Amino acid sequence: QVQLVESGGGLVQAGGSLRLSCAASGGTFNSYGMGWFRQAPGKEREFVAVITGSGGSAYYRDSVKGRFTISRDNAKNMVALQMNSLKAEDAAVYYCAARTYSSGLSTYARDHDAWGQGTQVTVSS
């Protein structure tokens, strides 16, 4: 059973940067499609960025395109989310998620069967 542990959240000023990391243990990491999702208070969980098992393809929600970059290091069983030019509306709990049965992309939370505990990102204006 795969376990995911996020790190790197915190408080940052608007316009600043943060890098989130997710360490995976158990299973065959390079066979998992991975994603970052976020959930703000009172809102539904939404996808932020997803990446294929090989790392060859990625997809972003429109509001973060050009600002966020998802990447993975299969040798280290890690996936990262580099977030630049942060805005107040990016504040949320960010979750790392895995599709342990597919290396493909999905923007749906229901298609991901393993989740980390989440890491808080706070953006001050």
Side-chain angles (χ1 to χ4, degrees):
Q1 183 177 357
V2 62
Q3 292 186 326
L4 304 173
V5 178
E6 303 99 334
S7 60
L11 172 64
V12 64
Q13 287 190 329
S17 298
L18 278 176
R19 183 177 178 84
L20 305 183
S21 295
C22 173
S25 60
T28 308
F29 183 71
N30 62 9
S31 70
Y32 304 157
M34 297 295 296
W36 287 96
F37 291 75
R38 67 187 181 189
Q39 188 167 18
K43 295 187 177 182
E44 292 188 354
R45 191 169 297 188
E46 62 184 20
F47 106 95
V48 177
V50 290
I51 190 168
T52 56
S54 67
S57 294
Y59 186 71
Y60 301 87
R61 72 179 300 105
D62 286 345
S63 63
V64 308
K65 285 180 182 177
R67 300 188 298 122
F68 290 12
T69 302
I70 188 171
S71 62
R72 65 190 296 161
D73 185 338
N74 286 340
K76 296 182 179 180
N77 287 2
M78 295 192 72
V79 62
L81 185 69
Q82 178 66 42
M83 306 186 294
N84 298 328
S85 302
L86 281 160
K87 304 177 181 179
E89 53 263 41
D90 294 319
V93 177
Y94 282 70
Y95 298 90
C96 174
R99 304 182 74 202
T100 64
Y101 58 93
S102 172
S103 62
L105 298 175
S106 174
T107 62
Y108 295 101
R110 65 175 181 264
D111 289 341
H112 295 73
D113 57 328
W115 293 82
Q117 82 286 354
T119 186
Q120 178 72 51
V121 171
T122 304
V123 183
S124 63
S125 56

